[in-house]
Amino acid sequence: MWQLLKQIARTGTPDERAPESDDAWRTECQQIQQNILDVLGRALCIREIDAGSCNGCELEIHALNSPYYNLEGLGIRFVASPRHADMLLITGPLTLNMKEAVSRAYEATPHPKLVVAAGECACTGGIFTDSYAVCGPVSTLLPVDVTIPGCPPPPIDILKGILAALRAKHMMLPP
């Protein structure tokens, strides 16, 4: 304990400034929220499905739920059941073990439904393409509306992909 206190006393307090943040995208928040309400009349509900990923994409998706991005404040939320979802957000390559589960989730999602493939593995199969346990990208099983490349894609790219899927499907949102 004393050694720790000595180390703290020797180190002192940091005097460097915090880095400046890039908040330019936040100016669009109210417009995004209004556009979602105009199209759906309520919040956009997303069911996230891990079809066999390394969890890198999931970490970035969880970052969207942080106060920094404030996804709930934009009118976008994640749900536990595909029966309550407007969109399926799928990560990872389509593995043999998850093929039937992904298909059932797609069938359980009410119309009109959107499918977004997030991450390089969901888009192309990624480094797992030639694996015996992988069927390929998500598009081999489901009609994908938008793909979000990257390994893993940053949270802002995931948010842009979600909004691009809404724009593509409903054609009511301005670019």
Side-chain angles (χ1 to χ4, degrees):
M1 176 75 171
W2 286 109
Q3 293 165 344
L4 179 61
L5 290 174
K6 287 179 188 177
Q7 178 68 29
I8 291 171
R10 273 184 275 157
T11 304
T13 58
D15 58 353
E16 52 190 61
R17 300 175 63 204
E20 296 295 323
S21 65
D22 180 21
D23 293 339
W25 65 274
R26 289 186 188 218
T27 58
E28 301 176 33
C29 287
Q30 287 187 341
Q31 184 65 35
I32 292 169
Q33 184 179 17
Q34 187 59 47
N35 289 338
I36 291 170
L37 291 176
D38 289 345
V39 171
L40 299 174
R42 57 180 169 73
L44 172 65
C45 298
I46 300 173
R47 171 68 173 129
E48 194 271 328
I49 300 173
D50 179 356
S53 75
C54 66
N55 290 329
C57 295
E58 283 73 20
L59 291 172
E60 301 299 320
I61 291 169
H62 289 302
L64 281 174
N65 281 328
S66 72
Y68 182 79
Y69 292 100
N70 192 20
L71 206 61
E72 291 270 341
L74 294 177
I76 302 171
R77 64 188 185 106
F78 289 93
V79 294
S81 172
R83 297 186 199 290
H84 302 143
D86 303 308
M87 175 186 291
L88 295 177
L89 180 63
I90 302 175
T91 61
L94 186 62
T95 59
L96 292 172
N97 290 343
M98 287 297 292
K99 187 175 182 178
E100 185 177 348
V102 170
S103 178
R104 285 184 181 185
Y106 180 78
E107 295 301 321
T109 306
H111 290 284
K113 50 187 148 191
L114 300 166
V115 177
V116 175
E120 201 62 40
C121 295
C123 298
T124 64
I127 62 171
F128 304 108
T129 301
D130 297 327
S131 172
Y132 67 92
V134 172
C135 301
V138 176
S139 60
T140 59
L141 180 66
L142 305 178
V144 175
D145 296 304
V146 173
T147 58
I148 306 169
C151 186
I156 192 67
D157 288 350
I158 296 171
L159 181 58
K160 288 177 182 176
I162 290 168
L163 297 175
L166 274 175
R167 286 186 186 109
K169 196 68 166 186
H170 295 288
M171 297 296 179
M172 295 176 68
L173 294 175

